[in-house]
Amino acid sequence: MMEDFTMQQIINLRWSLAVLNSEYFDVAGILFSKITKSYNSQGNNEVDCRNTSTEGLNQLHQVLLWYEENEKNPLLPPKLRKEIKLAFIANEGRPSELQKDILKTFESLESLGIVVVDKEIHCNQTGYSLDIVIGIKNSQKEMVVEIDGPSHFIAHSPNGATALKRRQLNSLSDRALLSIPYWEWDELSYGSNRKHKRANKSIEKDDEKKRKQLYLQECLRGKSFL
């Protein structure tokens, strides 16, 4: 029966087990053996990974991180594991307007000792892209800030890829993690759920800035970062 599975179907099955954080690692032997067999049959050259979809390679990388989380041998050839990670890191995203707005608000908290250390980088331990990295002035303390837009959720619950990313960053990265869901930030914006209109928009915009600053401060205190 397993012989009838396509490569993507096998990857989907392994990825689903990773999302669920299943303990059935013994199943991996059969599933990974087919992936290895397919890889070897393609000639074991540098373009092998092109025969698997970008989504499939991303899922495989997350599966490999799942095995690392649990200190298990992923049973894939080292060269294939390297190709999978390189393909995963090659994914480049563009910062959204939401991300830019949150970055700007973090930059406005300099008086509290908050500094933006970096943005749009990859985590050395996992290969995941990181939206923002913040720190405390004159301190080694750092935190990763992930801004999660609508594509990260299903009815306000994290989808599989987002849930895996959060869990794996928390367990494998050396930085704390703060995730900001889009709807919480949207509620802070000018004009959102207003009961009445104000004549002076500059006052309203100033109030919006303060709301956003207070929101981030509360988030950081909740993570014991401030």
Side-chain angles (χ1 to χ4, degrees):
M1 180 178 177
M2 190 63 64
E3 293 300 320
D4 297 329
F5 280 30
T6 66
M7 177 68 71
Q8 188 59 54
Q9 287 173 331
I10 291 176
I11 292 173
N12 289 343
L13 179 56
R14 296 303 303 126
W15 184 79
S16 298
L17 292 174
V19 171
L20 295 172
N21 205 16
S22 167
E23 297 180 357
Y24 296 107
F25 290 98
D26 293 340
V27 179
I30 300 173
L31 298 174
F32 276 147
S33 65
K34 182 166 183 179
I35 294 175
T36 301
K37 182 179 178 181
S38 175
Y39 174 77
N40 291 333
S41 69
Q42 292 170 8
N44 197 20
N45 58 59
E46 294 182 357
V47 297
D48 292 339
C49 284
R50 296 180 188 176
N51 296 322
T52 304
S53 69
T54 299
E55 180 184 6
L57 293 174
N58 290 343
Q59 289 175 315
L60 265 179
H61 180 71
Q62 289 187 304
V63 169
L64 294 177
L65 290 176
W66 175 48
Y67 270 69
E68 186 178 338
E69 280 184 278
N70 292 276
E71 300 180 349
K72 301 287 185 179
N73 185 344
L75 305 176
L76 288 179
K79 189 171 184 291
L80 176 56
R81 296 203 300 266
K82 181 179 178 180
E83 288 184 27
I84 290 170
K85 184 172 183 178
L86 289 174
F88 184 81
I89 293 175
N91 292 318
E92 295 292 341
R94 293 182 178 180
S96 64
E97 292 304 313
L98 172 65
Q99 184 174 330
K100 292 176 183 177
D101 189 27
I102 293 176
L103 174 63
K104 182 179 178 181
T105 306
F106 270 118
E107 290 173 338
S108 73
L109 297 178
E110 186 178 1
S111 62
L112 298 177
I114 301 297
V115 293
V116 174
V117 177
D118 221 328
K119 58 185 178 180
E120 292 296 309
I121 62 170
H122 288 96
C123 172
N124 291 332
Q125 290 87 357
T126 65
Y128 278 117
S129 62
L130 307 177
D131 293 334
I132 304 171
V133 178
I134 61 171
I136 300 289
K137 191 175 181 179
N138 300 323
S139 170
Q140 298 297 316
K141 199 173 184 180
E142 291 185 353
M143 174 178 280
V144 171
V145 181
E146 282 294 293
I147 296 99
D148 295 330
S151 64
H152 292 262
F153 298 93
I154 300 174
H156 285 192
S157 294
N159 60 26
T162 301
L164 259 181
K165 181 175 183 178
R166 289 181 180 180
R167 194 183 79 218
Q168 291 174 339
L169 282 176
N170 275 314
S171 63
L172 298 173
S173 174
D174 55 7
R175 299 182 179 102
L177 173 65
L178 170 63
S179 298
I180 299 177
Y182 71 94
W183 67 85
E184 290 187 4
W185 194 259
D186 286 348
E187 289 173 357
L188 304 170
S189 297
Y190 168 69
S192 176
N193 298 322
R194 284 188 302 163
K195 294 181 180 179
H196 61 277
K197 293 183 179 180
R198 291 190 178 182
N200 193 330
K201 291 186 178 180
S202 64
I203 295 177
E204 182 67 31
K205 292 297 288 183
D206 187 55
D207 287 347
E208 175 187 339
K209 179 180 178 180
K210 290 177 181 177
R211 287 197 301 271
K212 291 177 177 179
Q213 289 174 329
L214 287 173
Y215 171 85
L216 291 183
Q217 291 176 53
E218 290 175 2
C219 288
L220 296 178
R221 289 192 183 100
K223 291 287 185 176
S224 301
F225 195 73
L226 278 181

